[in-house]
Amino acid sequence: VAMKHRYIRKFLHFVLFPNRLAKYFAGFTHMLMTEIYVVLRLFLELSGHMAVLPGKKWVVMFFRLLVYSALLMPGFVQVAVFYFFSSRVKRSIVYGPNPRNRLDLYLPPGRDAPRNLPVTIFVTGGAWIIGYKAWGSLFGKVLSKEGVLVVSLDYRNFPQGRIKEMLEDVDRGIGWVVNNIHRYGGDPTNICLVGQSAGAHLSSLALIECAEKTQLRSQSKAVAWNPQQIKSFIGVSGAYDMSRLSNHLNSRGLHLQLLNAIMSINGRTCLEDISPTSRIFNYVEDPSKYQNVVDCLPPIVLLHGKDDSSIPYQHAEEFGHVLERAGIPVERIFYEGETHTTPLIENPMRGAGDKLSEGVLNVIKPETASNINKNRRLVPEILIRLALKVSPF
C-alpha cells in the first residue's frame, strides 16, 4: 500500500496534514513507510524461497542472523537515526526507470560543503537476494565524515530481477553518478567504485562488461560511462568465481537450485559467463584481442579477511593472480582475523580498526590524514564479540 505513493501522499498532505510543517511530517511518514515496506518485502521473499528448498540448514542460519542482529541492535538503531533524520543524507534519488533504481547520497558535514569532493560509489551485498541501499549507511556515515561524497546504489534483487537485470541496474547507476555527481559537489574525475560481497561481484562484472562494450562491440547508441572514468575499483569480501564458489555457497545455505535461478540468463544457468575470474582469464588466453579492454580497466584493490567463511579469501587471491597475468594493476590485501562482515559492520561499530574506510581513503585521498579510527563506539565490545560468535556470515 505504501508504494501507491501518489494517492497516499495526496491524502496525507491535504486531508490529515493541511499546514506546511505537517506536510513535511507527512512526506517523512510516507518515506518511512516505503523503506519499511521494501525491507519487509525482502524478508518475506527470502523466507518464501528458502522454505521450499531441500534441507533445513537455512533455518539455522536464519536464526543465527536474528540473534546476530539483536546483539548489534544498539548500533543499528543509532545508524538508522542518522539515516532517517540527518540532513547529510539524501535518500532515494532516482537514477533509472526500473523498480529499485534509487540511490542514497551521504554528504560531508557542514552547511556549505566544498565542491569537487572525491566520490565513492558503494554497491552493497546481500547474497543477490536481500541487498539494499540502506545497508551502506554505516559506511556512508563514516566515510562522508572524512570529506568523501558517498553514493550507495540500490538495484533489483532476485526474484524481482536475475543477474542480467542486476547488472543493468548497477551499470545504469554508475553511469548516473559519472554524469550527474557534479550537481551535488562531487568530482567526476575522482570516482572510486567499491563493492562488497555480492556487490563486489556485480560491480566488477559491470566494469568488465562496460570495458568490453566500449572496446570490442560496435555501439548503435552512446555509452553512459567509460571504465577510464573510474579512478579505482575496490572489491571487499567479493565473489569472483561463481563456478568454484557454487558448492561452497550451497554448504553455507544458499542452495544450488536457488543460486542457479539467480545466475540464469534467458532460462540458462551461466556461472562461467558471469564470473569475473573466468572473464579476465579470456584476456590471458587471447591478449591481442583484449589488449584495449585491459588498457581501459582501472587499478584494482582486493580486500578480504582471512577468517571469512562465507567466501574464502583464496578466491580473491586467485582473482588477483588472474588479473596480474592479464596485465591489470592489482593490489591484494588480506587481513588476519577479519570475517566477511567485520570490515563493513563490526569494526566501524567499534569506532576503531575500520580497515574498509581506511583502505578507500588511502586510494581516493592518499595525501590526507584521517580520523576514521577515532570515531565514537556504537556497541559495547562484549556484544560485538558475541555477535561474531553467532554470525551466519
Side-chain angles (χ1 to χ4, degrees):
V1 174
M3 297 303 284
K4 308 290 184 183
H5 53 85
R6 186 174 61 178
Y7 305 107
I8 287 191
R9 181 169 281 174
K10 283 184 178 179
F11 176 74
L12 291 175
H13 280 193
F14 299 113
V15 178
L16 296 181
F17 306 110
N19 61 62
R20 181 173 295 181
L21 181 62
K23 285 180 181 179
Y24 166 80
F25 286 106
F28 176 80
T29 301
H30 165 260
M31 179 274 299
L32 184 62
M33 290 166 64
T34 301
E35 300 285 347
I36 292 173
Y37 169 81
V38 171
V39 174
L40 182 61
R41 191 182 67 184
L42 289 173
F43 169 78
L44 292 175
E45 287 177 352
L46 177 63
S47 301
H49 283 283
M50 292 299 189
V52 300
L53 294 175
K56 295 302 176 186
K57 185 176 179 65
W58 70 270
V59 177
V60 176
M61 302 297 280
F62 182 68
F63 177 74
R64 290 171 63 181
L65 176 62
L66 291 179
V67 177
Y68 171 84
S69 302
L71 289 168
L72 297 181
M73 191 56 66
F76 290 141
V77 169
Q78 294 175 70
V79 175
V81 170
F82 168 78
Y83 180 73
F84 286 115
F85 294 101
S86 175
S87 60
R88 289 168 49 198
V89 185
K90 306 298 180 185
R91 293 176 298 273
S92 296
I93 297 172
V94 177
Y95 70 78
N98 296 313
R100 304 280 299 276
N101 281 183
R102 305 289 186 273
L103 57 83
D104 295 330
L105 291 181
Y106 296 85
L107 307 174
R111 180 170 296 180
D112 299 316
R115 310 298 292 180
N116 292 324
L117 293 165
V119 179
T120 293
I121 304 172
F122 184 59
V123 184
T124 66
W128 305 275
I129 301 172
I130 55 170
Y132 188 45
K133 59 186 174 62
W135 302 167
S137 53
L138 181 55
F139 177 69
K141 180 178 186 291
V142 172
L143 202 60
S144 62
K145 192 177 176 183
E146 300 297 320
V148 178
L149 182 55
V150 181
V151 184
S152 184
L153 288 185
D154 204 7
Y155 54 90
R156 284 171 286 179
N157 281 215
F158 183 83
Q160 194 173 27
R162 298 175 191 258
I163 186 67
K164 182 180 178 181
E165 287 74 31
M166 297 180 204
L167 281 172
E168 179 184 316
D169 290 349
V170 171
D171 177 81
R172 180 175 278 116
I174 296 171
W176 186 95
V177 174
V178 168
N179 292 294
N180 294 278
I181 201 63
H182 64 279
R183 301 178 185 176
Y184 299 89
D187 181 359
T189 67
N190 190 7
I191 298 176
C192 178
L193 177 62
V194 180
Q196 191 268 341
S197 190
H201 167 248
L202 293 171
S203 48
S204 60
L205 200 53
L207 269 176
I208 293 168
E209 288 274 356
C210 187
E212 293 182 2
K213 193 185 303 180
T214 55
Q215 300 299 322
L216 299 179
R217 306 168 196 166
S218 58
Q219 298 298 311
S220 57
K221 58 180 180 179
V223 179
W225 63 286
N226 190 296
Q228 292 172 315
Q229 294 173 287
I230 304 298
K231 184 176 182 179
S232 62
F233 167 70
I234 300 178
V236 184
S237 309
Y240 307 112
D241 191 338
M242 298 310 300
S243 296
R244 293 182 59 198
L245 265 174
S246 56
N247 288 330
H248 175 77
L249 294 175
N250 180 64
S251 70
R252 297 286 301 170
L254 185 57
H255 198 270
L256 275 175
Q257 176 185 336
L258 180 58
L259 182 64
N260 288 335
I262 295 169
M263 301 300 167
S264 63
I265 298 176
N266 299 325
R268 183 179 66 89
T269 301
C270 46
L271 296 181
E272 286 282 343
D273 294 341
I274 51 83
S275 293
T277 301
S278 299
R279 296 286 287 271
I280 297 295
F281 191 72
N282 292 333
Y283 307 170
V284 177
E285 292 186 318
D286 193 350
S288 59
K289 177 181 177 181
Y290 292 101
Q291 188 58 53
N292 290 337
V293 177
V294 169
D295 291 342
C296 81
L297 286 170
I300 292 174
V301 180
L302 303 177
L303 308 179
H304 219 109
K306 285 194 170 184
D307 287 353
D308 188 340
S309 54
S310 295
I311 302 174
Y313 80 95
Q314 289 87 352
H315 290 272
E317 191 170 34
E318 176 62 25
F319 183 46
H321 179 62
V322 174
L323 288 167
E324 281 181 343
R325 290 182 62 190
I328 299 168
V330 59
E331 181 180 4
R332 287 165 282 183
I333 304 174
F334 303 125
Y335 299 112
E336 295 286 349
E338 300 294 342
T339 70
H340 193 66
T341 58
T342 47
L344 187 66
I345 300 177
E346 289 88 352
N347 288 342
M349 285 190 175
R350 285 184 167 114
D354 186 354
K355 296 179 175 64
L356 171 57
S357 300
E358 203 171 57
V360 173
L361 278 179
N362 287 339
V363 172
I364 206 165
K365 293 180 71 178
E367 73 289 344
T368 306
S370 76
N371 296 306
I372 278 179
N373 291 317
K374 300 176 183 177
N375 288 319
R376 182 173 60 87
R377 176 182 283 276
L378 302 181
V379 178
E381 183 63 24
I382 182 64
L383 293 182
I384 291 178
R385 289 181 179 273
L386 288 172
L388 288 172
K389 292 287 186 183
V390 301
S391 173
F393 305 110

